[in-house]
Amino acid sequence: MAESDDILAAYRESIDNIDAALVFMLAERFKVTKKVGAYKATSGLPPADPGREAAQVARLRELARAANLDPEFSEKFLRFIIDEVIRHHESAKGHTESAAEAV
Amino acid sequence: MAESDDILAAYRESIDNIDAALVFMLAERFKVTKKVGAYKATSGLPPADPGREAAQVARLRELARAANLDPEFSEKFLRFIIDEVIRHHESAKGHTESAAEAV
């Protein structure tokens, strides 16, 4: 059992390291989407860009396949992130932003 | 407008790079949780470990604060990942696994 726990502990150490990397990468991503939102607002660019979102979904699905990750999940993941960006924009600005700023 | 597009393109290049990193880290995370599931199944360890999940949530919230990321989001993110791990286990094994294997 002590040996078992060591094996499990080693796996969990890897999960913890990966989760830390994910959190910091997500923080960096939100920094960039925040800049994109501000930039679009000041430069008069349209917030929505459906073509960009479609391209991003296709790209993530392709990357997922290369990484042996379920492409469906990569798309769900992107939409999860986009929803959070929209939520940020809504709470920060008090109005609804397009999902396009998130991608 | 051309200059504007260059600025936006640069932001999007950063988003694309970050997303690729996220996809590959997620793929790595699922590799580890798959090993954890198999290891627990063969070694007779209980699948559920609520203490581990609680500790992981607390740790991610702390990391999020350090990264200037919304701690609520980091917890939502962890639960999103855990749900996917459970879905994987269910579809792979035809029965319900505990969320604990995901953390």
Side-chain angles (χ1 to χ4, degrees):
Chain A
M1 190 61 179
E3 193 191 338
S4 293
D5 285 355
D6 286 350
I7 293 169
L8 186 60
Y11 284 137
R12 286 177 168 177
E13 205 172 279
S14 292
I15 292 171
D16 284 350
N17 286 343
I18 291 166
D19 283 348
L22 288 168
V23 163
F24 286 105
M25 291 309 292
L26 285 167
E28 197 59 29
R29 194 189 197 283
F30 286 121
K31 279 173 59 181
V32 181
T33 52
K34 199 172 173 184
K35 285 184 197 165
V36 170
Y39 175 68
K40 283 184 168 181
T42 57
S43 64
L45 286 168
D49 189 343
R52 161 70 177 163
E53 185 171 340
Q56 186 74 338
V57 165
R59 181 176 172 272
L60 278 198
R61 292 181 71 102
E62 192 57 39
L63 283 172
R65 272 184 287 268
N68 202 23
L69 183 73
D70 179 8
E72 289 298 319
F73 174 72
S74 72
E75 185 170 345
K76 267 198 296 182
F77 175 72
L78 181 63
R79 300 205 180 281
F80 175 80
I81 301 296
I82 290 172
D83 287 348
E84 181 68 11
V85 174
I86 294 169
R87 203 182 63 75
H88 278 191
H89 287 172
E90 283 174 354
S91 66
K93 300 183 187 177
H95 66 91
T96 304
E97 294 286 345
S98 158
E101 286 181 24
V103 294
Chain B
M1 188 63 180
E3 193 190 339
S4 293
D5 285 355
D6 286 350
I7 293 169
L8 186 60
Y11 283 138
R12 287 178 168 177
E13 204 171 280
S14 292
I15 293 171
D16 284 350
N17 287 344
I18 292 166
D19 283 347
L22 288 168
V23 163
F24 285 106
M25 292 309 291
L26 284 168
E28 197 59 27
R29 194 188 197 282
F30 286 121
K31 278 172 60 181
V32 181
T33 52
K34 198 172 172 183
K35 285 184 197 166
V36 170
Y39 175 69
K40 283 184 168 181
T42 57
S43 63
L45 287 167
D49 189 343
R52 161 70 177 163
E53 184 171 339
Q56 185 74 338
V57 165
R59 181 176 172 273
L60 278 198
R61 291 181 71 101
E62 192 57 40
L63 284 171
R65 273 185 285 269
N68 202 22
L69 184 72
D70 180 9
E72 289 297 320
F73 174 71
S74 72
E75 184 170 346
K76 268 199 294 182
F77 175 71
L78 182 63
R79 299 206 181 280
F80 174 79
I81 301 295
I82 290 172
D83 287 347
E84 180 69 10
V85 173
I86 293 169
R87 203 182 63 76
H88 277 192
H89 287 173
E90 283 174 353
S91 65
K93 300 183 188 175
H95 66 91
T96 304
E97 295 284 344
S98 158
E101 288 181 23
V103 294

